[in-house]
Amino acid sequence: MENTLRSRFGWRGLGLGLLILAPLFYLMFVYGEPIPQDSSYHIFADTRTCLGLDNFGNVASNLGFLLAGATGALWCLRNPGTQAVRSWTTFFLGVALVFFGSGYYHSRPGDDSLVWDRLPITVAFMGVFSALLSEHLGKELERRLLVTALAVGIASVFLWKITGDLRVYLWVQVTPLLAICYVIAIYPGRYTHRHYLLVGVGFYALAKVAEYYDNGVYALSSAAISGHSLKHLVAAAAPFCIYLMLKRRAPIEIPGDRELVKS
C-alpha cells in the first residue's frame, strides 16, 4: 500500500502539482496586474432576431450542449459503478446546464448575464478535472477533490464579478486542459480509449479559434453562421467525445495497482 501511495504522489504528482499551481503563480505574482473583462466581448457578428429571440444563432447553437450533457449524464446514472462517477456526472450536468446559462447570456449579453454562462461552464471544467485526477491518484480522493474543485471554480466566477479581475477564472479554465495533456503524457493508462480526451481538447481548441474569428466566419459563410455560433457547435463535440470514451473504454491491468482499475 505504501508503494502504491508513493507511486501516486511521487515525481508525477509533484509535476502535476507544479503544473496546476504555476499558472496561478504567474498570473498573480509575475504578470501581477488585474485582467479586466473586455467590453467588446459582448459584441457579436450575428445579432439577427428569429422567433422573437435576439441573437438567435448564438442562443440556438447551444442545443448541442444540452444533448451531449444529457446523454452523458444518463449514461452515468445507468452505470453507477463507473470510477469517479460523481465527477463525471457533475461534468455532464454542467455541460447540460450550459444550454440554459449560455442561452440566457446570449439573449441579453452583459456582465450580469455572463455570470450565468460561466457558472455551468466552470462546473463542467471542475467535474472533468476531479474525475481525471481521482482516476489516476486514487478513487478515495474523489469526494474531496470534487468538492474543493467546485468551490474554487464557482468562487472564481464570483471573484471576477465582484473585483472585475479575470485572473483566477482564467486559471480555472486553463488548468483542466493542462491536466488532461499531462496525465495522458505522464501517467500510465488505466483505461483504454484515453485518446478521446485529446480529441475533445482538440475540438475545444478549434471552438476557441472559431470564436476569435467570429466576424470572419460570418462573412465567409455569407451570413449563414457566425464564428461564435460555430464555436458552440464545435465545443459541444468535446463532451460527446468524453461520453464515447466512457462508453467504450475498458480497464487496463496495472501490476501492483489493481484496486485503481476496478469500475
Side-chain angles (χ1 to χ4, degrees):
M1 184 63 179
E2 289 183 4
N3 289 335
T4 299
L5 290 173
R6 191 177 299 116
S7 67
R8 293 179 196 169
F9 300 101
W11 67 270
R12 293 187 182 94
L14 177 61
L16 181 60
L18 289 173
L19 187 71
I20 291 171
L21 295 176
L24 181 63
F25 180 85
Y26 172 80
L27 288 169
M28 301 306 293
F29 300 108
V30 180
Y31 184 80
E33 297 180 5
I35 299 177
Q37 180 65 62
D38 188 351
S39 59
S40 66
Y41 184 86
H42 306 303
I43 301 174
F44 303 106
D46 187 358
T47 59
R48 292 173 293 184
T49 299
C50 183
L51 301 177
L53 276 177
D54 294 335
N55 305 311
F56 178 81
N58 290 337
V59 173
S61 57
N62 286 289
L63 182 60
F65 293 114
L66 180 62
L67 296 175
T71 300
L74 286 173
W75 186 90
C76 289
L77 290 174
R78 292 169 180 167
N79 295 272
T82 302
Q83 189 163 331
V85 69
R86 294 187 190 92
S87 297
W88 290 123
T89 303
T90 299
F91 165 69
F92 286 118
L93 289 176
V95 170
L97 289 174
V98 169
F99 168 74
F100 300 99
S102 183
Y104 172 67
Y105 162 66
H106 287 94
S107 68
R108 53 187 74 186
D111 282 357
D112 290 339
S113 57
L114 185 56
V115 170
W116 300 105
D117 182 17
R118 286 180 168 165
L119 279 173
I121 291 173
T122 301
V123 168
F125 268 97
M126 294 298 95
V128 72
F129 179 69
S130 171
L132 195 64
L133 264 61
S134 60
E135 283 191 348
H136 288 82
L137 298 179
K139 60 184 179 182
E140 69 277 3
L141 299 175
E142 185 194 3
R143 190 186 299 270
R144 282 174 288 173
L145 278 171
L146 181 59
V147 170
T148 302
L150 286 174
V152 171
I154 291 171
S156 75
V157 176
F158 288 107
L159 183 64
W160 155 69
K161 187 63 177 67
I162 293 169
T163 66
D165 186 359
L166 280 168
R167 285 180 293 175
V168 177
Y169 176 76
L170 292 176
W171 170 66
V172 165
Q173 297 297 297
V174 169
T175 297
L177 302 177
L178 294 176
I180 288 173
C181 297
Y182 179 85
V183 165
I184 290 177
I186 301 300
Y187 280 86
R190 304 193 184 281
Y191 293 93
T192 61
H193 294 82
R194 285 204 305 173
H195 63 280
Y196 279 72
L197 287 169
L198 290 179
V199 175
V201 172
F203 275 121
Y204 184 78
L206 287 174
K208 300 304 287 185
V209 172
E211 179 183 34
Y212 184 80
Y213 291 105
D214 186 22
N215 289 286
V217 172
Y218 191 60
L220 191 63
S221 66
S222 300
I225 189 171
S226 70
H228 201 88
S229 296
L230 182 60
K231 167 207 170 183
H232 292 159
L233 297 174
V234 175
F240 190 73
C241 285
I242 293 180
Y243 157 71
L244 291 177
M245 177 194 74
L246 293 174
K247 182 179 179 181
R248 296 175 179 179
R249 72 181 186 175
I252 297 174
E253 187 76 14
I254 300 177
D257 207 11
R258 186 171 299 173
E259 71 275 8
L260 285 181
V261 298
K262 290 181 180 178
S263 294

